[in-house]
Amino acid sequence: MISISELAYSDDDGATYTVLAEAGNWMLTRAGDHNHPGSYDMLEIDPNGTEIGVWPTGKKSLKLTGIWAYADDRALAFEATGLTVANNPLGAGATSVTASADATGDDQFKVSPAVAAGMLARIELEYLECTDVATVTLTVLRGRNGTTDAAHVLGKAIEVWRPPEPVKEAAAIMAVRRLQRALQGYADASADVDLGRLRFVRGMDPEAERLLWNYRKPGPV
């Protein structure tokens, strides 16, 4: 999680919820580290907090309202594209964002495209998922990752989610590896003439796999 705007608990299996203020009652941490700059993965509730006094026994339901995402550093999770909102204004619920310049061109770091389909964008406090990009027009899904679909005035900055550096490095390693395989004529491939089959090595580069280890989805390896 990036943040929680509201935490509520239930004593009746989710039939009703009571909001629990953060101050003096709960806090978010990263593996117990209260000062970690990355996204949170642990919620600590004080059993002797200012509102509950003693945490009730038995199973309780919790309801979290907040922003869901992973980041190595919450403050640097998004980076500027150099683009701004050209809609005047961009209304809540609108699925088409007009950018101030060609979104398929270079960003402020001379890397293109500045925005592409599949990217997570941010305008003010709202996250938007880009499903298509055509020059200055971004087709988006609004209010993603727990944020609120809201109106934005002309000139607000359009930012994009910055993948963690190890993920970028792993992607570069795999891209180079695949290029080298192609240049070598896929020498690691083999064929079975009788069965009419081609076999290719599918394993991931060990270095790329190591870099991605902390980002893997939990489950069987």
Side-chain angles (χ1 to χ4, degrees):
M1 291 201 72
I2 298 296
S3 64
I4 289 180
S5 57
E6 184 178 279
L7 170 64
Y9 68 95
S10 173
D11 289 320
D12 50 14
D13 294 325
T16 60
Y17 283 89
T18 301
V19 175
L20 185 62
E22 178 178 4
N25 294 290
W26 58 269
M27 62 181 63
L28 288 167
T29 77
R30 175 77 165 264
D33 182 355
H34 300 134
N35 298 313
H36 196 288
S39 49
Y40 303 108
D41 62 5
M42 182 181 294
L43 171 65
E44 293 183 353
I45 298 178
D46 188 348
N48 301 305
T50 58
E51 291 190 21
I52 297 180
V54 177
W55 187 252
T57 59
K59 292 183 178 180
K60 306 298 172 188
S61 299
L62 291 177
K63 181 169 65 175
L64 308 180
T65 303
I67 299 175
W68 301 86
Y70 178 88
D72 290 330
D73 190 325
R74 300 186 303 278
L76 301 176
F78 284 87
E79 59 189 15
T81 61
L83 303 173
T84 60
V85 174
N87 305 74
N88 191 21
L90 173 62
T95 58
S96 180
V97 179
T98 302
S100 57
D102 186 357
T104 63
D106 293 347
D107 63 12
Q108 62 172 350
F109 304 109
K110 303 302 179 183
V111 176
S112 62
V115 184
M119 284 186 172
L120 186 67
R122 181 175 70 177
I123 302 175
E124 297 187 276
L125 298 179
E126 182 187 353
Y127 292 9
L128 307 88
E129 180 183 345
C130 297
T131 59
D132 186 64
V133 179
T135 59
V136 298
T137 303
L138 314 179
T139 303
V140 297
L141 299 174
R142 304 291 299 272
R144 308 304 278 177
N145 293 56
T147 60
T148 300
D149 177 355
H152 306 284
V153 300
L154 175 72
K156 289 298 181 181
I158 300 173
E159 302 170 299
V160 291
W161 183 261
R162 179 186 63 81
E165 290 304 318
V167 174
K168 290 183 178 180
E169 187 176 348
I173 289 173
M174 291 304 299
V176 171
R177 175 177 170 174
R178 292 180 186 279
L179 174 61
Q180 289 297 324
R181 288 186 66 204
L183 293 176
Q184 294 169 7
Y186 295 97
D188 58 349
S190 61
D192 188 322
V193 178
D194 294 331
L195 297 178
R197 293 178 179 174
L198 286 173
R199 291 188 291 271
F200 297 92
V201 177
R202 296 180 57 189
M204 179 175 286
D205 183 275
E207 179 63 13
E209 190 170 16
R210 182 189 67 79
L211 289 167
L212 295 174
W213 182 255
N214 291 329
Y215 305 95
R216 71 193 188 284
K217 183 178 180 180
V221 177

